[in-house]
């Protein structure tokens, strides 16, 4: 049951926040002007806080249920995890700060931070997961990392095509082939789930001793957490019709 | 500096930065929730304006709290895996509950509160800010349970070289956690109260057009700061009864007492240096207490002055004093934190695991890389965010972006 809980949050993160990462990577392609970029960001704005927190929960579950693995996984991939965190911080700050001061140069600078941070996140995840999945480290790991980054990018584009309108939507749908937009999203999501499951199978998932106490607590919480998230998705289920707060 | 010092410095800088932003988050969230409650009941445009103005500052601050918090959470596994593998089965449970009960819900609902402005039913919107506030408290509570365990371990057994949780209730009821939580929470109200009072006083001294808004805000700020100061001091005093012997001896700087603690621990645990830095403990504690006296000296008379409307409008010297006081509770917070955390050294888990044994097996190069990178990025971001906080605070309620856009969706199209 410990493994199910860890997988639930980790895979939830990859699918949900993976779309935010992909949209950030594709930001210069999707939004050609400042106004367009703001509208593209509105596609992920209401969700990104609630999506990235799935990774916070994953780290919490690791700390509580798999404390030994947490240490081995994080310090064993020290540089990659530090890079991942830095990219995460830079991406988030780009999102928060781009609208704080009026003027195109300020917004363009922080848009750059969003793009750099999103690519940094995708490549760090790619590097970390390829280390776990196929044991590759060093420069050669960049190849599988790029493949995974491309997966995030495609996932983000398919999500954007579901959220945006008009020409922005057409740009986002460039890769959607015969499967249609929802179908593409389902495909990329399934691919990310597969990556998460395979990575989990490769990890030494040996729970600590707090399971008997913690597992029932977490299992009780999960329906409430899912309901809270569902409220967000329901509230913002419509296509983006203009800029948001960010 | 050896690698343990570097790792400690990295954690201390992250946690210290996080603590400052979080203190303001806890205090300001409470005040925003109270103000929004009044606004929702009264429908008064002044109250609505107050909610948006203070809410905007709250969000700017929150964003910085979240990114420093992320880095702190991951640092436990990155740099301190000796601690997590030894004691993670016990205090990791508190961290796990914190992320799920508090952080997860807080982030989800905060997003809904920000982006759902003018979109959700106003009562639902009000409920959101209260959930966000209460989960922020819950977050502080579970973090203090984890920290309290490290300060004063209870409810565990040592089993095969690792700690195992035997009594969850004892860990939660740990006085080293409970008293400290209430001390930190009321301290955060002091931070929030002085912040709101100081910013309001700045605008009143500038003869702002939004005089009603800032007059009411100033009263809320001072009205919260004074009682919160007294509550903080009460729990701080109670906290002295939960001090470890070594911290207590360092605080009074009594050579006989220090020698007795050292001899006692050496007899029990073998030779070693078991005393914290007397200078750091005393400096932290003194900063906290001197600034408490200063805050009380300002908040007491302010509480009386704020009852007289012409004074609230026109007493500029007092306005300037209140504005200058904004940083003081932050510094007091840091002082108290240094007192608490330096005072438990050399232990990561008091009496059980030394800080030097809690490190991950990482290289000095890796540690220098992360320390340099985090310090650089955070220094820049903290400077920018403090500048933005000041800028948005100075510009007043006319320039607030939060909640100013009516819904502009003529025909919404479902996207999924």
């Amino acid at each position: 049951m410990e493994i199910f809980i860890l997988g639930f949050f980790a895979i939830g993160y990859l699918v949900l926040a993976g779309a935010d990462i992909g949209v950030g990577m594709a930001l210069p392609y999707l939004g050609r002007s400042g106004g367009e970029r703001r509208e593209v960001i509105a596609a992920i704005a209401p969700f990104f806080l609630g999506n990235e927190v799935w990774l916070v929960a994953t780290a919490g579950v690791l700390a509580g249920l798999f404390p030994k693995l947490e240490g081995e996984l994080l310090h064993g991939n020290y540089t990659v995890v530090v890079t991942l965190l830095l990219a995460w911080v830079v991406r988030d700050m780009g999102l928060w700060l781009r609208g704080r001061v009026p003027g195109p140069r300020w917004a363009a600078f922080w848009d750059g931070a969003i793009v750099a941070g999103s690519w940094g996140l995708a490549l760090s995840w790619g590097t970390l997961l390829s280390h776990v999945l196929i044991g590759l480290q060093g420069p050669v790991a960049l190849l599988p990392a790029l493949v995974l980054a491309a997966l995030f990018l495609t996932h983000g584009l398919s999500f954007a095509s579901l959220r945006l309108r008009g020409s922005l939507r057409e740009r986002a749908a460039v890769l959607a082939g015969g499967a249609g937009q929802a179908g593409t999203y389902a495909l990329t999501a399934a691919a990310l789930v597969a990556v998460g499951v395979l990575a989990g199978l490769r990890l030494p998932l040996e729970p600590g001793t707090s399971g008997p106490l913690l597992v029932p607590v977490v299992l009780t919480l999960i329906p409430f957490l899912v309901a809270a998230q569902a409220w967000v998705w329901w509230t913002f289920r419509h296509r983006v019709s203009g800029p948001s707060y960010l | 500096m050896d690698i343990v010092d570097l790792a400690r410095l990295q954690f201390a800088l992250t946690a210290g930065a996080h603590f400052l932003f979080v203190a303001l988050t806890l205090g300001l969230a409470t005040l925003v929730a109270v103000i929004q409650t009044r606004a929702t009941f009264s429908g008064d445009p002044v109250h609505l304006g107050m909610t948006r103005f203070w809410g905007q500052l709250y969000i700017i601050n929150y964003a910085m709290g979240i990114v420093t918090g992320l880095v702190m959470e991951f640092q436990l596994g990155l740099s301190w895996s000796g601690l997590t593998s030894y004691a993670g089965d016990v205090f990791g449970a508190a961290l796990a509950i914190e992320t799920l009960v508090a952080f997860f819900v807080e982030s989800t609902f905060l997003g809904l509160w920000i982006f759902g402005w003018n979109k959700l039913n106003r009562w639902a919107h009000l409920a959101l800010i209260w959930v966000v506030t209460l989960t922020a408290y819950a977050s502080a509570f579970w973090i203090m349970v984890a920290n309290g365990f490290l300060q004063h371990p209870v409810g565990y057994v040592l089993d095969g070289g690792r700690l195992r949780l035997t009594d969850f209730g004892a860990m939660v009821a740990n006085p080293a956690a409970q008293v400290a939580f209430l001390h930190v929470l009321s301290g955060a109200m002091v931070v929030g109260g002085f912040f709101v009072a100081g910013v309001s006083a700045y605008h009143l001294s500038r003869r702002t057009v939004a005089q009603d808004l800032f007059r009411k805000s100033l009263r809320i700020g001072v009205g919260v700061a004074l009682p919160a100061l007294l509550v903080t001091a009460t729990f701080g005093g109670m906290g002295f009864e939960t001090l470890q012997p070594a911290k207590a001896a360092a605080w009074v700087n009594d050579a006989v007492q220090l020698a007795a603690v050292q001899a006692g621990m050496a007899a029990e645990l073998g030779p070693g240096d078991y005393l914290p830095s007397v200078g750091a403990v005393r400096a932290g504690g003194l900063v906290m207490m001197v600034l408490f006296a200063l805050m009380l000296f300002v908040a007491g008379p302010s509480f009386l002055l704020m009852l007289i409307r012409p004074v609230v409008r026109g007493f500029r010297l007092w306005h300037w004093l209140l504005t200058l006081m904004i940083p003081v509770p932050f510094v007091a917070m840091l002082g108290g934190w240094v007192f608490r955390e330096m005072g438990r050294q050399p232990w990561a888990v008091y009496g059980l695991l030394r800080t030097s044994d809690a490190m991950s097996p990482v290289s000095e190069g890796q540690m220098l890389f992360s320390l340099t990178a985090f310090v650089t990025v955070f220094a820049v971001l903290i400077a920018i965010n403090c500048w933005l906080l000041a800028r948005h605070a100075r510009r007043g309620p006319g320039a607030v972006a939060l909640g100013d856009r009516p819904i502009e969706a003529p025909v919404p199209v479902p996207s999924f």
Side-chain angles (χ1 to χ4, degrees), chain A residues 126-145:
Chain A
T127 314
L128 184 63
L129 287 168
S130 27
H131 180 212
V132 173
L133 282 168
I134 39 183
L136 280 183
Q137 271 186 305
V140 67
L142 205 59
L143 209 64

Side-chain angles (χ1 to χ4, degrees), chain A residues 29-30 161 164-175 181:
Chain A
Y29 163 72
L30 290 172
S161 72
L164 296 170
R165 297 176 311 170
S167 57
L168 298 178
R169 177 182 174 183
E170 277 165 30
R171 278 179 212 153
V174 62
L175 293 176
Q181 287 151 12

Side-chain angles (χ1 to χ4, degrees), chain A residues 27-88:
Chain A
L27 188 60
Y29 163 72
L30 290 172
R32 309 284 161 86
S33 67
E36 283 187 353
R37 283 194 289 275
R38 188 163 181 207
E39 194 158 332
V40 172
I41 286 166
I44 56 167
F47 308 110
F48 89 95
L49 258 182
N51 288 346
E52 69 183 14
V53 85
W54 286 71
L55 182 56
V56 176
T58 306
V61 168
L62 269 177
L65 291 174
F66 300 90
K68 221 170 146 54
L69 172 64
E70 186 209 16
E72 283 161 12
L73 194 61
L74 295 187
H75 79 69
N77 296 280
Y78 194 88
T79 310
V80 179
V81 175
V82 169
T83 312
L84 192 151
L85 291 173
L86 289 166
W88 190 1

Side-chain angles (χ1 to χ4, degrees), chain A residues 56 75 78 162 237 239 245, chain B residues 56 73 78 81 370 413 415:
Chain A
V56 176
H75 79 69
Y78 194 88
L162 289 170
R237 67 194 177 280
R239 281 188 188 273
Y245 171 69
Chain B
Q56 169 95 339
E73 189 194 12
L78 281 170
S81 62
S370 61
V413 191
S415 61

Side-chain angles (χ1 to χ4, degrees), chain B residues 248-255 258 278 282:
Chain B
W251 166 242
V252 293
N253 196 14
D254 180 316
L258 281 165
V278 172
R282 286 185 59 80

Side-chain angles (χ1 to χ4, degrees), chain A residues 5 9 38 45-50 52-68 70-72 74-86 88-90 92-93 96-97 99-102 106 109-110 159 162-165 169 206-210 213-214 217-218 221 224-246, chain B residues 10 55-56 59-60 62-64 66-68 70-71 73-79 81 84-85 87-101 103-105 107-112 114-116 119-120 124-125 127-128 159 162-165 168 360-362 366-367 369-371 373-374 377-378 380-381 384-385 387-388 391-392 395 401-403 405 408-410 412-416:
Chain A
I5 291 172
F9 287 105
R38 188 163 181 207
F47 308 110
F48 89 95
L49 258 182
E52 69 183 14
V53 85
W54 286 71
L55 182 56
V56 176
T58 306
V61 168
L62 269 177
L65 291 174
F66 300 90
K68 221 170 146 54
E70 186 209 16
E72 283 161 12
L74 295 187
H75 79 69
N77 296 280
Y78 194 88
T79 310
V80 179
V81 175
V82 169
T83 312
L84 192 151
L85 291 173
L86 289 166
W88 190 1
V89 169
V90 167
D92 273 21
M93 274 298 147
W96 286 116
L97 296 181
R100 289 272 180 250
V101 174
W106 173 272
F109 176 82
W110 292 108
F159 182 70
L162 289 170
R163 292 278 301 148
L164 296 170
R165 297 176 311 170
R169 177 182 174 183
E206 203 182 302
T209 54
S210 63
L213 166 91
L214 208 50
V217 175
V218 180
L221 284 170
F224 294 100
L225 303 182
V226 170
Q229 293 251 318
W231 188 11
V232 177
W233 290 89
W234 175 254
T235 305
F236 302 103
R237 67 194 177 280
H238 301 298
R239 281 188 188 273
V240 171
S241 57
S244 78
Y245 171 69
L246 294 183
Chain B
Q10 174 172 292
Q56 169 95 339
I59 294 168
I60 296 173
Y62 182 88
M64 213 44 228
I66 216 176
V67 294
T68 46
L70 301 173
V71 172
E73 189 194 12
F74 280 83
Q75 250 180 64
L76 284 175
L78 281 170
S79 322
S81 62
T84 51
S85 67
D89 285 321
V90 183
F91 86 108
L95 294 180
I97 294 177
E98 189 272 338
T99 58
L100 297 171
V101 174
F103 208 145
F104 196 99
V105 179
S107 279
T108 306
F109 281 6
L110 183 66
L112 204 48
I114 296 172
F115 299 100
K119 202 175 173 99
L120 291 165
H125 194 245
L128 287 172
D159 185 0
R162 289 171 68 175
L163 301 186
R164 184 162 58 79
L165 183 60
F168 183 69
S360 303
V362 294
Q366 287 175 317
M367 194 53 74
F369 157 67
S370 61
L371 178 63
F374 285 137
V377 169
F378 279 137
V380 172
L381 290 177
I384 292 171
N385 277 279
W387 172 73
L388 282 173
R391 178 185 157 99
H392 281 80
R395 296 184 87 198
L402 181 66
R405 208 164 293 103
E408 35 183 309
V413 191
S415 61
F416 42 80

Side-chain angles (χ1 to χ4, degrees), chain B residues 145-346:
Chain B
V145 168
N147 176 276
F149 178 81
L150 304 181
Q151 298 276 348
H152 176 65
V154 286
Y156 69 92
V157 289
L158 185 57
D159 185 0
R162 289 171 68 175
L163 301 186
R164 184 162 58 79
L165 183 60
T166 53
D167 190 345
F168 183 69
M171 181 172 78
V172 176
N174 188 354
Q178 294 286 345
V179 174
F181 163 67
L182 294 166
H183 182 59
V184 166
L185 185 63
S186 43
M189 299 304 145
V190 177
V191 172
F194 270 102
F195 181 83
V196 168
V199 172
S200 304
Y202 170 83
H203 284 280
L204 290 167
S205 78
R206 301 284 299 257
R207 303 284 186 255
T208 166
V209 284
Q211 205 176 72
D212 273 356
L213 190 155
F214 287 113
R215 190 171 47 77
K216 287 171 199 248
S217 298
L218 183 141
R219 284 190 176 162
I220 292 175
V222 175
V224 165
L226 180 65
L229 262 176
L230 301 175
V231 175
T232 309
T234 307
F235 286 115
M238 286 166 69
F240 269 88
E241 284 157 33
T242 70
L243 291 191
Q244 302 91 346
K247 194 189 287 177
W251 166 242
V252 293
N253 196 14
D254 180 316
V256 178
Q257 219 173 315
L258 281 165
V261 172
Q262 165 69 24
M265 288 192 113
E268 191 186 334
L269 304 156
D273 180 7
Y274 297 104
L275 295 180
S277 152
V278 172
V281 171
R282 286 185 59 80
L286 279 173
V287 162
M288 173 176 70
M289 288 183 190
V290 169
L291 294 182
F292 162 72
L294 171 67
M295 288 187 278
L296 194 63
F297 191 68
V298 173
S302 296
F303 198 85
L304 298 175
L305 287 174
M306 77 174 191
L307 302 174
I308 311 162
R309 190 172 288 199
V311 173
V312 176
R313 279 195 191 140
F315 188 6
R316 278 193 166 160
L317 194 63
W318 178 48
H319 292 153
W320 290 333
L321 178 66
L322 283 178
T323 308
L324 285 174
M325 286 297 288
I326 292 176
V328 172
F330 288 98
V331 181
M333 271 272 177
L334 277 189
W337 171 68
V338 166
F339 174 73
R340 182 174 172 90
E341 298 304 327
M342 289 301 285
R344 86 166 126 130
Q345 297 302 323

